[in-house]
Amino acid sequence: MTTKVVVVSAPDLSTAFKLPIFLERVPAGFPSPAGDYMEGKLDLNQHLVKHPAATFFVRVTGDSMIEKGIHSGDLLIVDRSLDPKDGSIVIVVLDGEHTVKQLEKRKGKLRLLSANKNYEPMEVSERQSFEIWGVVTNVIHPL
Amino acid sequence: MPLFALVDCNNFYVSCERVFNPKLAGKPVIVLGNNDGIVVARSNEAKALGIPMGAPAFKYRDLIRQHDIQVFSSNYALYGDMSQRVMETLQQFSPELEVYSIDEAFLNLSGFTHTNLTDYGRTIRSTVRQWTGLPVSVGIAETKTLAKIANHVAKKADGAFDLSVWQDRDSLLAGVPVEEVWGIGPNHARRLKLYGITTALGLRGADDHWIRKQMGVVGLRTVQELRGISCLALEQCPPPKQGITCSRAFGKPITTLTEMREAVAAYTARAAEKLRGEQLAASVLTVFLTTNPFKDDPQYSNTLTLRLPVATDATPELLRVALQGIEAIYRDEYRYKKAGVMLLGLVPVGQVQANLFDHADRERSKRLMKAVDSMNVRYGADTVRCAASGLTQHWRTKFTKRSSGYTTDWHELPLVHVN
């Protein structure tokens, strides 16, 4: 496994989503409500979006990446500033359509893999019109 | 030596559409302005087919069908978001950046002399391309005016051009028509041509006194800039606003005073909201209306400027004056295409001159406006609005071929098929 798929419940990222963080150890399962203990806020945007200018959200339909935890209806976080590496999950443009694949870079050869037994890997030659649109960093999957 | 880069997005609106719709690559594409009226952006393929900028779309219906030209309504939410992404991406390349328009920015590259700036320009170009998907051109020179020219060259070359190290500058400037020089409007261009000045090179060599007499200090500055003497610095803070305008063409012609009042009321409310956003108050208000000059209908247009007793930012006060104005210039029996409101004589809210005979409760009105604005921010534009602006708003601007809010609406994210 080269790509870690983080599955979280779907937050509304349109606003900064903040939860209080308690730096002091909480001895019982009951944190004190006193504000003195609050030392900062956790911001999901900050955690999930490292390059806001280059980050886009896309919605998935279909099941060819299911074994990577990408389900139909999920939201993907795509960071275009990252360089795709061997094993990266990427958004590619194939024949004028966006799709999701795992990139395999070996011995100078490029292959696009699906994460579903029913789909064959695709060899891509330099000549084929194909473009890597961005690197998927996270999948947001509602439970 | 000062050095500037002008970064300009190529065919910006069309390029934004292409990022999310890869099928558009290589096809002729145009984007239309409000009400799908005139052409506001063209892909290179559409330019090659001879569709001019600003052309009324209906005049090119046959050509559009014949060549299967892809037509889009303006998607300003998308373009605004993509513009911000470009500007944010550019910030890593210079400590000083001036956002000049939605698709152009100047960078200060003074002191970057140790680097090969053509290469630097190429890096800027490839980074913006990778981060946002948008193609840009980068022109570099010692003045902003020359950087604009360098950018034109870059567009035709491989996307980055450094004029400051170009050997044969004269023949390059000789190839630039004078009307393409930044700051030379059509009127000046016409006058200059009468005196035989037809290119940037000719303008650069013009006599200072003569230029000053013909085109004033501003014209002289342009000439100096062509000579490589930097007169225009980066403007990082936008200059204070001269006026705030809200004007739109109607989705369908307005033929009744009731509808006209609604439209003007809605525009006034919007302009007043912008006014408060900038912490300004207006002392003068102008209303205007016009019929459609492209139609054979009887033509009428008129403007009326009214002075407010005390500069104000309160919607109800501005509304009263705007409606009074529009009623005064409205004439029956015309089909109106457009109306608008301009707020002028702007002063910072804190500096409003009081009037001895002013009895309005300004504190109360301020609290009301604050409440209205924050509700509209929280629950969406126009949640709370003045009844005068109407409930149905049949006249609203049309965007029939608008693409999705790919980056601005959770319900319209790009779809990826994984099959």
Side-chain angles (χ1 to χ4, degrees):
Chain A
M1 279 284 273
T2 42
T3 311
K4 197 179 161 206
V5 177
V6 180
V7 181
V8 292
S9 60
D12 178 3
L13 290 174
S14 65
T15 54
F17 185 75
K18 288 174 177 174
L19 295 169
I21 167 176
F22 295 87
L23 292 188
E24 181 162 298
R25 260 187 68 211
V26 180
F30 193 76
S32 158
D36 291 353
Y37 291 100
M38 283 202 275
E39 309 245 338
K41 298 266 192 184
L42 280 181
D43 181 355
L44 261 184
N45 273 333
Q46 209 181 356
H47 177 64
L48 295 172
V49 179
K50 304 294 182 215
H51 306 100
T55 299
F56 295 84
F57 301 124
V58 303
R59 181 87 59 193
V60 171
T61 65
D63 62 358
S64 71
M65 293 302 285
I66 196 111
E67 286 156 30
K68 285 281 172 200
I70 299 174
H71 299 74
S72 203
D74 284 357
L75 203 106
L76 302 182
I77 302 180
V78 183
D79 187 341
R80 293 185 53 114
S81 72
L82 304 176
D83 289 318
K85 298 191 196 74
D86 177 42
S88 295
I89 305 289
V90 290
I91 306 286
V92 291
V93 176
L94 271 176
D95 306 319
E97 299 257 8
H98 290 116
T99 184
V100 188
K101 296 280 177 192
Q102 183 168 29
L103 189 70
E104 188 190 76
K105 274 179 158 175
R106 273 180 210 161
K107 296 170 197 152
K109 273 192 177 168
L110 282 185
R111 288 207 307 167
L112 297 175
L113 314 180
S114 293
N116 183 330
K117 287 185 244 33
N118 303 323
Y119 295 86
E120 292 293 310
M122 269 181 70
E123 196 109 2
V124 277
S125 62
E126 294 295 318
R127 258 166 278 145
Q128 203 167 357
S129 98
F130 130 92
E131 178 205 327
I132 294 181
W133 196 86
V135 175
V136 179
T137 59
N138 295 86
V139 47
I140 295 179
H141 174 75
L143 294 174
Chain B
M1 178 173 73
L3 274 173
F4 298 92
L6 175 65
V7 182
D8 185 9
C9 301
N10 304 347
N11 312 330
F12 180 57
Y13 295 174
V14 168
S15 299
C16 288
E17 298 291 347
R18 279 181 169 164
V19 171
F20 300 96
N21 190 346
K23 280 205 171 82
L24 299 174
K27 289 190 186 156
V29 183
I30 57 174
V31 177
L32 307 180
N34 287 346
N35 288 319
D36 299 340
I38 60 164
V39 177
V40 294
R42 307 161 297 159
S43 71
N44 290 343
E45 297 80 6
K47 288 177 191 173
L49 289 171
I51 295 192
M53 195 69 167
F58 71 86
K59 285 196 178 169
Y60 289 86
R61 219 173 278 156
D62 292 340
L63 196 70
I64 287 169
R65 205 169 310 134
Q66 193 187 332
H67 294 279
D68 191 25
I69 297 175
Q70 307 293 305
V71 181
F72 289 87
S73 305
S74 303
N75 185 344
Y76 291 117
L78 175 67
Y79 309 152
D81 178 75
M82 293 301 282
S83 170
Q84 265 179 26
R85 289 166 182 272
V86 171
M87 302 308 166
E88 221 178 297
T89 306
L90 289 176
Q91 265 160 9
Q92 60 191 289
F93 293 101
S94 163
E96 285 175 53
L97 173 126
E98 173 188 344
V99 177
Y100 180 66
S101 71
I102 193 167
D103 58 355
E104 289 172 284
F106 285 104
L107 308 186
N108 187 352
L109 298 186
S110 310
F112 282 55
T113 35
H114 55 285
T115 25
N116 177 331
L117 286 178
T118 311
D119 285 348
Y120 198 64
R122 285 197 192 110
T123 307
I124 293 176
R125 182 178 150 81
S126 63
T127 306
V128 176
R129 177 87 204 208
Q130 183 182 343
W131 283 42
T132 67
L134 296 168
V136 299
S137 306
V138 185
I140 298 160
E142 319 89 277
T143 70
K144 285 165 100 177
T145 306
L146 287 172
K148 273 261 184 190
I149 292 175
N151 192 281
H152 280 293
V153 180
K155 279 222 160 61
K156 285 170 202 146
D158 65 346
F161 181 72
D162 180 5
L163 183 60
S164 70
V165 294
W166 190 249
Q167 299 296 328
D168 194 6
R169 179 174 293 204
D170 286 9
S171 53
L172 192 148
L173 292 182
V176 179
V178 75
E179 64 270 21
E180 279 178 22
V181 174
W182 192 38
I184 302 296
N187 286 335
H188 281 320
R190 217 172 301 130
R191 181 118 43 91
L192 288 167
K193 280 179 187 168
L194 283 180
Y195 291 95
I197 296 176
T198 56
T199 67
L201 185 70
L203 185 59
R204 190 187 72 179
D207 177 70
D208 284 6
H209 285 290
W210 184 80
I211 286 291
R212 216 193 149 116
K213 225 166 66 192
Q214 296 290 322
M215 298 164 51
V217 160
V218 178
L220 189 58
R221 225 182 272 157
T222 299
V223 174
Q224 294 282 36
E225 285 241 318
L226 284 175
R227 291 173 186 156
I229 301 160
S230 176
C231 304
L232 302 165
L234 280 198
E235 285 174 27
Q236 284 171 286
C237 322
K241 285 220 159 142
Q242 305 290 307
I244 289 175
T245 304
C246 184
S247 149
R248 269 162 221 152
F250 305 128
K252 65 177 192 97
I254 278 187
T255 53
T256 67
L257 180 57
T258 313
E259 280 185 312
M260 181 60 87
R261 283 177 50 108
E262 284 181 16
V264 167
Y267 299 162
T268 308
R270 180 76 195 105
E273 207 175 290
K274 283 196 225 168
L275 190 69
R276 292 191 291 274
E278 310 249 353
Q279 313 265 331
L280 295 168
S283 49
V284 176
L285 181 149
T286 296
V287 285
F288 57 91
L289 46 69
T290 180
T291 50
N292 186 354
F294 289 113
K295 287 260 164 73
D296 278 338
D297 300 340
Q299 298 291 320
Y300 170 68
S301 58
N302 207 346
T303 303
L304 186 65
T305 298
L306 300 130
R307 191 166 287 279
L308 291 137
V310 175
T312 182
D313 63 355
T315 305
E317 282 179 69
L318 295 165
L319 260 182
R320 196 166 50 234
V321 176
L323 292 178
Q324 199 184 320
I326 204 73
E327 276 164 32
I329 57 175
Y330 185 90
R331 300 283 176 273
D332 282 329
E333 332 244 303
Y334 291 101
R335 297 165 62 77
Y336 293 97
K337 177 67 185 165
K338 191 175 180 177
V341 174
M342 253 185 292
L343 301 178
L344 303 159
L346 305 185
V347 287
V349 177
Q351 296 171 23
V352 172
Q353 293 258 330
N355 182 323
L356 192 56
F357 303 103
D358 176 29
H359 297 299
D361 184 348
R362 306 218 167 261
E363 261 317 301
R364 189 165 164 261
S365 139
K366 199 196 269 170
R367 288 200 308 271
L368 172 66
M369 289 301 107
K370 217 173 149 190
V372 168
D373 288 348
S374 61
M375 278 168 95
N376 284 340
V377 166
R378 187 140 164 215
Y379 300 109
D382 278 350
T383 302
V384 181
R385 58 177 195 249
C386 292
S389 54
L391 292 176
T392 45
Q393 306 195 332
H394 293 300
W395 40 267
R396 279 192 95 111
T397 311
K398 276 191 305 201
F399 295 94
T400 54
K401 299 181 194 81
R402 178 148 62 190
S403 56
S404 301
Y406 298 113
T407 62
T408 53
D409 189 333
W410 284 112
H411 304 290
E412 298 182 7
L413 296 182
L415 269 188
V416 265
H417 300 269
V418 289
N419 283 320

